Amino acid sequence: MSSLTLLRKNRDLLFWSLHAMGWSAYAISQYLGALLYNKMPGYTKVIVVAAVSGFLLSAPLRYWCRYLWTRPPIVMIGGALASAYGIALIWRTIINIAYETLVESDWPMTHWYEYLGGATSATYLLVCWMGLYFGFKYYESMQIQREAALRATALAQEAQLKMLLYGDRKSVV
């Protein structure tokens, strides 16, 4: 069995593979950006903290998205945006604390709200994550509907063929 077939059949393996690849791509792009802008040496540790915490915080979104998928569109969109923003606040707090601890320890943040800085861009990233999840879910449901329609068409044609054959037999007898 090929690995692609295995991924299609095992939904958990597919999810975790895509989830890990997505956060790895995030870490690589952040690292390349850090190299491009000559970030401080400790910044690589912040990237690792950001990728790992993003991976862990966004993993439960899978189950939340499953729940939202069954709700009306306004609830789905509102729930997705609210949860993305809530998780983004937590995620950015972790990243900003890591940045303060690992990179700029001599320049501490003075107000609590400074730890929440960057939550909007983090929300955008998580909304994109959820959009991909819903996109995959929608594609899958369309494939299931298409296969059901093809099976129904095949059954109808088979029934029509049997009726024609039965009609031919009756006229011969």
Side-chain angles (χ1 to χ4, degrees):
M1 185 183 292
S2 74
S3 57
L4 281 177
T5 307
L6 180 64
L7 281 175
R8 284 189 191 134
K9 290 185 185 257
N10 188 339
R11 311 230 343 119
D12 286 333
L13 181 61
L14 176 64
F15 171 79
W16 289 111
S17 298
L18 291 174
H19 193 64
M21 285 191 304
W23 284 106
S24 297
Y26 168 81
I28 290 168
S29 68
Q30 292 295 309
Y31 180 73
L32 292 175
L35 288 177
L36 186 65
Y37 290 106
N38 295 321
K39 294 283 186 170
M40 296 171 203
Y43 195 74
T44 304
K45 294 175 186 172
V46 175
I47 293 170
V48 171
V49 168
V52 170
S53 61
F55 179 90
L56 294 173
L57 286 170
S58 62
L61 284 176
R62 174 186 190 194
Y63 304 104
W64 180 241
C65 286
R66 279 185 190 169
Y67 170 77
L68 290 174
W69 182 253
T70 63
R71 302 291 164 231
I74 190 75
V75 174
M76 183 191 318
I77 292 168
L81 291 174
S83 59
Y85 186 68
I87 291 174
L89 287 172
I90 297 167
W91 186 41
R92 284 309 303 185
T93 301
I94 293 168
I95 293 170
N96 291 337
I97 290 171
Y99 184 80
E100 180 184 36
T101 305
L102 300 171
V103 178
E104 296 276 344
S105 58
D106 58 333
W107 189 35
M109 297 193 189
T110 55
H111 299 289
W112 66 269
Y113 55 82
E114 290 180 276
Y115 289 104
L116 304 176
T120 305
S121 61
T123 301
Y124 175 73
L125 183 75
L126 291 168
V127 165
C128 289
W129 185 100
M130 293 172 102
L132 284 171
Y133 183 88
F134 287 132
F136 275 108
K137 197 86 167 148
Y138 180 75
Y139 175 77
E140 180 185 53
S141 70
M142 289 295 105
Q143 287 298 102
I144 290 169
Q145 286 180 4
R146 188 176 74 96
E147 288 171 10
L150 287 172
R151 276 193 301 276
T153 302
L155 285 173
Q157 288 175 346
E158 185 180 329
Q160 190 176 26
L161 183 60
K162 284 181 181 179
M163 284 176 47
L164 288 172
L165 288 174
Y166 182 71
D168 273 352
R169 284 187 196 157
K170 264 189 135 185
S171 62
V172 172
V173 176

